[in-house]
Amino acid sequence: MISLGLWILTALIVLVVVMFHAGALLDFIRPSVLQTQLFGLHITLFGVVVILAYEGGRGIGVFIGLIGLFTGVLGSFRDSSKPVDKKNI
């Protein structure tokens, strides 16, 4: 049985990743392509740590790893150019 702490940690990771994507989508934050890829890499590596640390946490570790992989790949397709100020046009 998976501990309550691992469930809370998983919920926190999902919440942070959703907030990151929502902030980037709504232009509250403007991370570069490299920052987005590194964030995805860190989340993926944390999923691997969960797989190795918890005996019954293989499913949750894979889920966290897939979230990180999705974040890193999505960062590869972002436009790295700065937005143009349309007020001066």
Side-chain angles (χ1 to χ4, degrees):
M1 186 75 185
I2 299 173
S3 66
L4 178 65
L6 184 58
W7 283 110
I8 292 172
L9 187 64
T10 303
L12 256 157
I13 288 171
V14 169
L15 180 69
V16 166
V17 170
V18 166
M19 286 174 39
F20 175 79
H21 285 292
L25 182 68
L26 297 173
D27 284 338
F28 287 131
I29 57 173
R30 291 190 183 111
S32 68
V33 172
L34 181 64
Q35 288 172 331
T36 306
Q37 289 173 344
L38 286 175
F39 180 62
L41 179 68
H42 281 92
I43 298 296
T44 303
L45 289 176
F46 186 73
V48 171
V49 168
V50 168
I51 290 172
L52 295 175
Y54 290 95
E55 192 171 311
R58 184 167 303 191
I60 290 181
V62 169
F63 177 69
I64 292 172
L66 287 175
I67 289 174
L69 184 67
F70 173 72
T71 301
V73 169
L74 191 68
S76 299
F77 294 111
R78 288 181 43 116
D79 187 19
S80 62
S81 63
K82 303 267 184 198
V84 178
D85 188 16
K86 294 184 180 185
K87 292 179 185 175
N88 295 332
I89 294 179

